[in-house]
Amino acid sequence: MGSAHRIARRPPRCPRIAGPFSLSHRCVGTAGGMNILAELQERFRAALAELVDDPTELLAMVRKSSEPKFGDYQANFAMALGKRLKRPPRDVAAEIVQRLQIDDLCEPPEVAGPGFINLRLKTDWLAAAATRTLASQRLGVTPAKEPRTYVVDYSSPNVAKPMHVGHIRSSVIGDSLKRTLRFLGHKVIADNHIGDWGTQFGMIIYGYKHFLDEAAYRQNAVAELGRLYKFVSRLVSYREAVRSLPEMRNRLAERRDDAAHLASVAQERSDDKGAAKAARKAEAGAKEQAAALQSLEAGIAEVESDPVLSKAAAAHPDIEKQVLEETAKLHRGDAENVSLWKEFLPACLEDIQRIYRRLDVSFDVTLGESFYNDRLPGVVNALVQRDIARESDGAMCVFLDDHKTPLVIRKQDGAFLYGTTDLATVQYRMETWHPDAMLYVVDHRQSLHFEQFFAAARLWGYDDVEMVHVSFGTVLGEDGRPFKTRSGDTVGLEGLLDEAVRRAYEVVSENDDKKPGGAEIEPERRREIAEVVGIGALKYADLSVNRTSDYTFSYDRMLALNGNTATYMQYAYARVFGSFAKGDIDVQELRASGAAIDLSHPAERALAVGLLQFFEALEAAAAEYRPNLLTTYLFDVAGAFSIFFDQCPVLKAETEELRTSRLLLCDLTARTLKQGLDLLGIKVVDKM
RNA sequence: GCGCCUGUAGCUCAGGGGAUAGAGCAACGGUUUCCUAAACCGUAGGUCGCAGGUUCGAAUCCUGCCAGGCGUACCA
C-alpha cells in the first residue's frame, strides 16, 4: 500500500446531480451545429407536448437504432406512454407520428412491433448536412450555451519515485476528459495534485543523509534519489516485516485451528450447508494467511541474503522511526530538511515531466500536497468551530451519517492526513475558480475515502458543487496481483512506453517493407511514426474500456496494433492522406471549391451518418465522463470509412462530381478522426 | 462481520429497461491487374454466474444465493 499517491479515481452510476448534458441543458435546434439526436428530441418534445406535461423523461428513449433495418434512430416511449394513458401503444405511436413535424429530416416514420417509432433520415438531408459540416472548423460541434467550470484532478503521482503502469489510467482518462470538456466549450482547470510532501520524502531525506553516492548524485540526481527511495523503502519494509512476523505466525496458527475445527464440524453435520461453507471459508482464510506469511518471510530473506541491505538493516534498526522523524521535521519547517526538499523537488518534477511530454499529457496547474500545507490547521479549526469535527481517541474526526468510521483530519500526534489536504484543496479551488464541478480521476479502491471526504465537504458548506469520483478499476498483473514483472518490480512507465514504441516500430517497418511499390519511409520517419502509433495504442487500451472492474495488465493487450485500437483509426486517417497524395489533391482547394457531398452509395450514406454523430458522441462521453463512448464512436466511423474505401473508388470515381464528393467525404472523415483522436490525446500521422 | 464493485463467446472486453445479445483477438474459409491487405467479406462459437421477483418487455431493475476483487478511523 501507499505505493502510489493517488494512482487510482468513474462517476456514480446514478449521479445525484444531473450531468451537464442532461436533456435540459442540451442545445435546442441545430443552428450552426449538428446534433441529430438533440434535434430529433426537440421535434418529439413538440409532438408530445399535448400528451404529457413533461416529456423530458420520455425523450431519453429516443436513440440510435439498434439495427440498420430499423432505420437510423428510434423512439421507444410509445409502449410506456400507452400504459400510462391506458391506450394501445401502437395507437399512441400513430398519434405521435401524426403530430410529429419531421418531414424535412426524415422519411415518413414507421410504427413497428409493439409501438417502436423508426426514423430514417432523408439521404438528401444527410448530404446537405454533411456538406454544411465541411465548412465548420468545429465539425458541427457548437460550444455549450451554458459553459460550466470544471476542475479535473488526475494523474497525481507521488513525485518521489518513478511513475509506473498504475499511473497511466488516471493520467490518460483525466487528460481526455479535460480535452473533451474544453472542446465542448467549458472552462477546465486541469490540476495535478502531486504527492510532494509525504513519507516518501522522509525516506529520500533519510537516504540522502546516510546512503548517498555523491558521484552518482552529481551525474544523475533523479536516478540516485530513486535508488535512495527504493533502498530506504526496502529497509523500512524489512523492519515492518520483522516486527509483524510473530503476530503473523500467531494468526496463521489461529486460522489453521479455526479451519481444522470448522472442517470437523462440517464433517459431523454433512447436511449443513452453512457449516460446509464456513469450513471452506476458513480453509481459504488459512491459505491466504499462509501465503501472506510466506511472502513476508521471502521479503525478509531477500534482504538478509543481500550483504549490502542486511548490513544497512543491522546498522539502522530504528529506520522506521527515523524516517517518520525526518518527515515530521520537514513538516515542522526544519531548515535542513526544507532545504533538501527544495533541492530535490525540481529534479523530481522534471523527471515526471519527461513522461508527460512523451504521453502528451498536460496540466494547467500542479498544486501538490505541499501547496496546501499552510491551510491545514485552518481547515481543522473551521470544522471544529462549526461542530463538524470533534475529538475521538485523541484524533480529530468528522463523523458522518451512513458511515461507521469517521474521516480523520488530524492524527493523535497532531499530523494531518490526506483527507485534510483534500478539504483544503476544495476550499482553495472554490475560492480561486468557483467551479461547478470537480472531477477526481482516481482508482476505485479509494471510493470510500471520496464518499467520506465529499460528505465532509458538503457539511462544511460546499454543497452546491458537483463532486465526482471518476473511478476506474485497478491494473492487475497477469497473475491477478497488482502490476509486477516476473522479477517482482513494478513495471516502470518509461520502460512500458519504450516497449510500446519498439513493437510499433517493428510493425511500421514490416508494413512499409511490404507495400506494393516498395518501402517508402525513412528509418528516422519510421521512428517518429512508431512513437505516435505505440503511445497511441497504449493510451487507447486504457481509454477504450469502461468499468470499475479491475483489468489485467498485458503487454499484448496494451500494445495491440490490430482490431479496435488507435492504430485502426490512425491507419484510416493515413489512407485518406495516401490517396490525396496519389491524386495530387490540394485539400485547401478542395475545401474552397464549394462542391457538395452526394450520397448515392449505401457505404457513403452510412459513413455520412457516422460523421454527423460526432457531436452526440462527444456529449455522451462528457455527460458520463466516459472516454470509451468516444473510442467506440471513432471505431464505428473508421469501420464505416474502411467499408466505404473498399467499395467506393475515390480517385477513379465514375464522374468528376462523384470524385469530388468522395474526396470531400474523405476529408471530413480525416478531420473527424483527427479531432476525435486529439480529444483522446492521441496523435495521427499522414503516412504509416 | 459490514460496505462498494465485478461475473456476458476459448481470451480481452462493449452493451446497463426495448426488437434476433455485439466487437476485437484466437480458429476456419474467401477477396489484391484497382486510392496502404495495418483492410474488407464470410463460417463457427453464448442457458448474459444460479434461482426467484417486478414489467407489455430483463443481460440490464429488485431480492436471495454462488464465485472473485477491493475497502473497512489516525497510509495515500
Side-chain angles (χ1 to χ4, degrees), chain A residues 377-650:
Chain A
V379 170
V380 174
N381 286 340
L383 291 170
V384 169
Q385 266 171 26
R386 295 176 188 220
D387 285 327
I388 298 165
R390 63 178 169 82
E391 200 183 303
S392 170
D393 279 348
M396 202 55 79
C397 303
V398 180
F399 286 89
L400 303 157
D401 298 340
D402 310 327
H403 290 286
K404 285 184 183 168
T405 56
L407 180 75
V408 178
I409 56 174
R410 195 177 67 206
K411 305 202 296 191
Q412 286 173 328
D413 66 8
F416 302 106
L417 294 103
Y418 76 140
T420 328
T421 309
D422 279 333
L423 288 166
T425 305
V426 169
Q427 183 190 43
Y428 176 82
R429 291 173 177 167
M430 293 306 288
E431 286 169 10
T432 309
W433 299 301
H434 314 286
D436 300 290
M438 284 185 246
L439 311 183
Y440 293 85
V441 189
V442 179
D443 98 56
H444 70 85
R445 289 178 295 188
Q446 294 191 40
S447 58
L448 177 60
H449 168 70
F450 282 102
E451 275 177 35
Q452 294 189 316
F453 139 61
F454 291 164
R458 281 193 288 270
L459 283 176
W460 194 11
Y462 296 109
D463 51 6
D464 60 346
V465 58
E466 182 187 353
M467 287 180 282
V468 185
H469 176 195
V470 181
S471 81
F472 51 82
T474 312
V475 184
L476 300 176
E478 314 210 23
D479 57 354
R481 299 190 314 134
F483 35 82
K484 297 279 161 79
T485 61
R486 269 173 234 94
S487 60
D489 291 329
T490 55
V491 176
L493 199 39
E494 200 140 39
L496 184 58
L497 300 186
D498 289 339
E499 177 66 9
V501 173
R502 190 188 66 75
R503 292 191 188 207
Y505 186 80
E506 278 178 13
V507 175
V508 169
S509 298
E510 189 184 319
N511 283 285
D512 189 41
D513 288 341
K514 69 175 192 211
K515 277 178 188 162
E520 43 189 61
I521 307 175
E522 296 300 311
E524 182 50 32
R525 183 69 190 134
R526 285 185 181 184
R527 242 175 286 283
E528 290 166 21
I529 294 166
E531 184 80 16
V532 171
V533 171
I535 303 288
L538 191 70
K539 294 178 92 170
Y540 194 90
D542 266 332
L543 291 165
S544 59
V545 292
N546 179 37
R547 288 284 157 159
T548 59
S549 60
D550 299 337
Y551 78 79
T552 304
F553 172 80
S554 148
Y555 270 112
D556 289 339
R557 189 179 79 78
M558 276 194 185
L559 307 181
L561 301 172
N562 283 314
N564 185 3
T565 64
T567 312
Y568 183 71
M569 271 65 85
Q570 290 167 326
Y571 177 63
Y573 181 86
R575 284 172 108 185
V576 171
F577 266 79
S579 62
F580 280 16
K582 191 139 199 164
D584 203 18
I585 306 298
D586 183 325
V587 182
Q588 297 306 325
E589 212 169 281
L590 176 71
R591 289 177 190 166
S593 70
I597 288 175
D598 178 74
L599 305 171
S600 42
H601 192 287
E604 295 174 319
R605 186 188 186 282
L607 176 57
V609 172
L611 293 171
L612 291 168
Q613 288 170 334
F614 187 45
F615 198 171
E616 55 195 73
L618 291 187
E619 289 205 323
E624 297 181 49
Y625 313 119
R626 282 174 49 186
N628 77 307
L629 297 178
L630 181 52
T631 62
T632 301
Y633 167 78
L634 292 173
F635 185 55
D636 289 344
V637 166
F641 173 77
S642 292
I643 294 169
F644 157 79
F645 206 64
D646 200 56
Q647 299 184 357
C648 302
V650 178

Side-chain angles (χ1 to χ4, degrees), chain A residues 211-288:
Chain A
F211 307 115
L212 182 69
D213 177 340
E214 288 192 41
Y217 185 68
R218 273 194 303 277
Q219 201 181 9
N220 184 342
V222 175
E224 175 60 6
L225 291 179
R227 184 192 71 83
L228 288 172
Y229 167 77
K230 202 171 168 185
F231 191 79
V232 173
S233 128
R234 286 189 78 176
L235 294 179
V236 169
S237 301
Y238 169 75
R239 277 288 154 213
E240 285 171 349
V242 168
R243 185 165 43 80
S244 62
L245 206 50
E247 163 91 30
M248 291 287 280
R249 285 184 173 140
N250 283 339
R251 212 178 296 167
L252 177 58
E254 280 170 24
R255 293 269 173 112
R256 283 195 167 141
D257 286 349
D258 280 357
H261 173 68
L262 287 167
S264 70
V265 170
Q267 205 160 25
E268 277 168 36
R269 305 187 229 156
S270 53
D271 52 347
D272 186 342
K273 280 171 91 179
K277 188 183 159 186
R280 274 202 312 276
K281 225 163 180 167
E283 178 63 28
K287 274 190 179 154
E288 201 178 318

Side-chain angles (χ1 to χ4, degrees), chain A residues 307-330:
Chain A
V308 178
L309 281 168
S310 62
K311 197 177 155 199
H316 300 262
D318 57 348
I319 191 163
E320 292 168 81
K321 277 186 195 157
Q322 293 298 324
V323 164
L324 286 178
E325 178 53 24
E326 296 294 359
T327 312
K329 277 167 74 182
L330 172 65

